[in-house]
Amino acid sequence: MVWTNLHAKIHRTIRSRRLFEPEQRLLVAVSGGQDSLCLIKLLLDLQPKWGWELGIAHCDHRWRDDSQANAHHVKNLAENWGVSFYLETANKPVNSEATAREWRYQALSAIAQAHNYQYIVTGHTASDRAETLLHNLMRGTGADGLQALTWQRLITGNIWLVRPLLEITRQQTAQFCQEFQLPIWEDSTNQDLKYARNRIRQELIPYLQTNFNPQAELAIAQTAELLQAEVEYLEQLAQQLKEEAMDWGQINSKFKIQNSKFKNPTSSPPSPPLRLNRRVLQKAPLALQRRVMRQVLQEILPDAPNFEHIEKLTALITAPNRSQTDPFPGGAIAQVQGDWIILGTGDKIIQNSRIQNSKLENCP
Ligand SMILES: Nc1ncnc2c1ncn2[C@@H]1O[C@H](COP(=O)(O)OP(=O)(O)OP(=O)(O)O)[C@@H](O)[C@H]1O
């Protein structure tokens, strides 16, 4: 086997970042394109050193005329390499990039779960990372979107999604495929400039390289790497602050005693409103206040909270008593009651308010 610099680099990356341990079962997501072919070839070559068990998964989205032929192509490669092959085919053609991605991750997770793989491995590269950062920058996602593609993340239960090629550019994977004569399946939709991602890849990045920095791709990908560590740190701090500020239980237990309905063991008590202590939050910097509010909203809203949702909840930290938001999607509202921000549906907030008042009345 020919051992290249890329083999050495990926071997080092996997070891230093502890992406996988020896003897583990890895499910490699192979589209047939240059990045995932480069990935599977590298992992196959490293396999004797690490003792992994490799499998190949392919997802047929049925959105191109040649989808089925593409799937056969990957199946043949897997057979030639003597690697288990798993195919998932969409019930009906998937019609957008976002739906395709969502369906693909579900399909890959289902294969991994059914066949006992702990890891799903994808061929995302530094080039993908740079493109994702630019795309998210223009959508206004904040630092979290700019960390653009992490090395690993828990995808379901105990299955991890891992991306070992994040420091390799698309130019390098193309060169590698050429060197080893890997039969790339060209995806015709990659040329279609109606997709924003393709315009970033084919027009914006080359423009930046020509006019600003020939190494723009790697420089942007490194920015994502730096941001990733910072985002992780801020999220941890925000988590601690949220725990300090949050109070779920107290109200409910008091409420249970006061309300005879809850003495009946057959009726279950409603979930209490969520309370956040404003004094705790007021001491924290704005960056953490916003992150706490986003974490809270992620728990209660049906979809990801947007900038406006986070800002209106954050504003309550210093707002006058009795200030209140309009309803969030799903119906919850937030209201200031003294030192507390109470989040819940309207009736729960009123209940909480009554308890607060009765506590005050009972004070000696
Ligand atoms: N149809 C598919 N089946 C299995 N895995 C896929 C499929 N499409 C994408 N992937 C996985 O997701 C990674 C990123 O996909 P993306 O669509 O961003 O790139 P791509 O241009 O398809 O990559 P590649 O050069 O490997 O084709 C791929 O490298 C591959 O690991």
Side-chain angles (χ1 to χ4, degrees), residues 276-292:
L276 292 163
N277 189 298
R278 299 207 299 164
R279 285 190 194 220
V280 171
L281 294 172
Q282 278 159 6
K283 285 184 290 183
L286 180 59
L288 289 185
Q289 293 177 341
R290 284 193 173 125
R291 279 181 186 276
V292 168

Side-chain angles (χ1 to χ4, degrees), residues 38-77:
C38 173
L39 171 72
I40 180 67
K41 166 77 176 144
L42 285 166
L43 293 179
L44 282 167
D45 291 348
L46 294 176
Q47 197 263 347
K49 276 185 188 295
W50 288 81
W52 298 315
E53 277 185 60
L54 298 173
I56 290 182
H58 179 82
C59 305
D60 180 354
H61 305 100
R62 294 177 55 201
W63 72 352
R64 296 190 323 254
D65 292 344
D66 65 349
S67 290
Q68 209 178 0
N70 186 163
H72 274 122
H73 175 71
V74 178
K75 180 170 187 264
N76 286 338
L77 288 173

Side-chain angles (χ1 to χ4, degrees), residues 217-279:
E217 240 181 0
L218 275 181
I220 297 170
Q222 273 163 12
T223 305
E225 180 66 25
L226 295 175
L227 280 167
Q228 190 183 327
E230 291 177 21
V231 164
E232 203 178 297
Y233 173 63
L234 287 173
E235 276 297 286
Q236 273 170 15
L237 289 185
Q239 180 71 31
Q240 285 164 10
L241 180 64
K242 187 183 83 176
E243 279 161 21
E244 216 184 306
M246 203 165 90
D247 173 19
W248 283 99
Q250 235 182 353
I251 295 281
N252 195 39
S253 56
K254 288 210 165 66
F255 188 50
K256 265 194 237 176
I257 297 162
Q258 288 177 4
N259 193 324
S260 61
K261 181 173 128 202
F262 297 134
K263 290 180 185 145
N264 174 0
T266 55
S267 71
S268 58
S271 61
L274 192 156
R275 311 196 320 158
L276 292 163
N277 189 298
R278 299 207 299 164
R279 285 190 194 220

Side-chain angles (χ1 to χ4, degrees), residues 278 293 310-320 336 341:
R278 299 207 299 164
M293 293 319 195
I310 298 166
E311 288 306 279
K312 74 181 177 193
L313 191 52
T314 307
L316 293 190
I317 296 175
T318 49
V336 177
I341 296 171

Side-chain angles (χ1 to χ4, degrees), residues 28-39 56-61 63-64 70 74 86 88 97 101 103-105 108 120-125 128 131-132 149 161 163 165 170 173 184-185 187 190 197 201:
V28 187
V30 178
S31 64
Q34 63 178 63
D35 300 335
S36 48
L37 281 193
C38 173
L39 171 72
I56 290 182
H58 179 82
C59 305
D60 180 354
H61 305 100
W63 72 352
R64 296 190 323 254
N70 186 163
V74 178
Y86 309 92
E88 277 286 333
E97 270 191 292
R101 192 174 310 109
W103 173 77
R104 187 162 71 233
Y105 283 125
L108 292 170
I120 296 167
V121 196
T122 63
H124 290 100
T125 59
D128 291 312
E131 290 159 14
T132 308
L149 304 178
L161 174 68
R163 302 168 168 131
L165 302 190
R170 188 167 297 116
T173 61
I184 299 170
W185 190 274
D187 178 345
N190 282 347
R197 172 51 67 97
R201 181 179 295 183

Side-chain angles (χ1 to χ4, degrees), residues 133-175:
L133 183 149
L134 289 171
H135 197 203
N136 288 349
L137 179 68
M138 289 178 286
R139 290 166 53 219
T141 54
D144 289 33
L146 303 187
Q147 62 177 328
L149 304 178
T150 52
W151 287 92
Q152 46 197 332
R153 80 176 159 88
L154 204 52
I155 189 163
T156 53
N158 57 351
I159 298 172
W160 288 85
L161 174 68
V162 183
R163 302 168 168 131
L165 302 190
L166 282 187
E167 278 167 346
I168 311 277
T169 61
R170 188 167 297 116
Q171 202 188 346
Q172 286 173 294
T173 61
Q175 220 172 337

